Amino acid sequence: MSDFKIVERLQKIDEDIQRNQLKYHAKRVLVSKEFTFDAAHHLHHYEGKCKNLHGHTYRVILGLSGYTDERGLMIDFGDIKEIWKQQIEIHLDHRYLNETLPPMNTTAENIVVWIYEKLTEAMLDEEYNGACVEFIRLYETPTSYAEARREWMEIE
């Protein structure tokens, strides 16, 4: 492998790169983070298998957009994980959704809007350079998902 090279010296701030060079641009960017959770639920006023108690391994993708700070970061992925774990996942993972969510039919369409609202509320509590929730995609199965998008949520 002729292209492989071991780094001899790590780049140092204020010597090899200046602080004003850390922020490369002033454009809006989107970052996303993905999580999974396991939960049980059943549907009301529904004729089909889902009227019975059953479970899913849900997969959720959170999409956030905003502007980078002086370091070139819009939001730390660790901060997204913290918000997810402390404010959203506690209501979902290994739970009976009909009991832990607000009164609703626990369809993917209803749950994805609830997640959108919870994440939006959490983002308002902190200052993330104008970051906002762009979309939430909730997979109920590997091939079926519901999505909430900012432009749809802000209209109504």
Side-chain angles (χ1 to χ4, degrees):
M1 291 194 187
S2 61
D3 289 345
F4 181 76
K5 177 182 163 188
I6 295 176
V7 175
E8 294 178 20
R9 187 172 87 70
L10 290 179
Q11 191 179 65
K12 292 182 181 175
I13 189 81
D14 297 326
E15 287 181 26
D16 304 303
I17 186 169
Q18 301 305 306
R19 291 177 192 274
N20 65 353
Q21 294 176 300
L22 298 177
K23 182 175 178 154
Y24 177 72
H25 63 86
K27 298 180 177 15
R28 180 175 280 276
V29 294
L30 183 132
V31 297
S32 69
K33 189 138 178 74
E34 186 174 316
F35 301 96
T36 60
F37 64 93
D38 297 298
H41 77 132
H42 67 93
L43 299 181
H44 298 286
H45 194 62
Y46 180 83
E47 289 306 316
K49 291 193 288 184
C50 294
K51 72 179 177 180
N52 297 314
L53 180 63
H54 64 285
H56 298 281
T57 296
Y58 290 90
R59 182 167 63 105
V60 63
I61 302 171
L62 313 177
L64 308 168
S65 79
Y67 298 95
T68 58
D69 63 16
E70 68 282 352
R71 302 167 299 166
L73 289 173
M74 190 270 288
I75 185 172
D76 190 291
F77 288 113
D79 290 347
I80 300 171
K81 182 178 181 180
E82 234 7 71
I83 292 168
W84 171 259
K85 292 275 185 200
Q86 293 182 4
Q87 299 187 42
I88 301 170
E89 185 187 60
I90 58 171
H91 302 284
L92 304 172
D93 192 38
H94 285 81
R95 300 295 185 139
Y96 171 46
L97 299 179
N98 297 68
E99 183 178 82
T100 61
L101 293 179
M104 68 170 76
N105 210 8
T106 53
T107 62
E109 297 89 336
N110 281 339
I111 298 168
V112 76
V113 170
W114 179 85
I115 294 171
Y116 179 94
E117 291 170 346
K118 291 294 280 185
L119 184 57
T120 298
E121 179 183 308
M123 295 297 294
L124 294 175
D125 291 343
E126 297 289 333
E127 180 54 44
Y128 292 113
N129 300 306
C132 59
V133 181
E134 288 295 334
F135 72 88
I136 306 292
R137 182 175 287 176
L138 177 66
Y139 284 86
E140 191 172 84
T141 72
T143 60
S144 304
Y145 70 85
E147 187 167 290
R149 297 183 186 172
R150 180 169 57 98
E151 60 265 27
W152 301 337
M153 299 298 110
E154 290 181 352
I155 290 173
E156 297 154 29

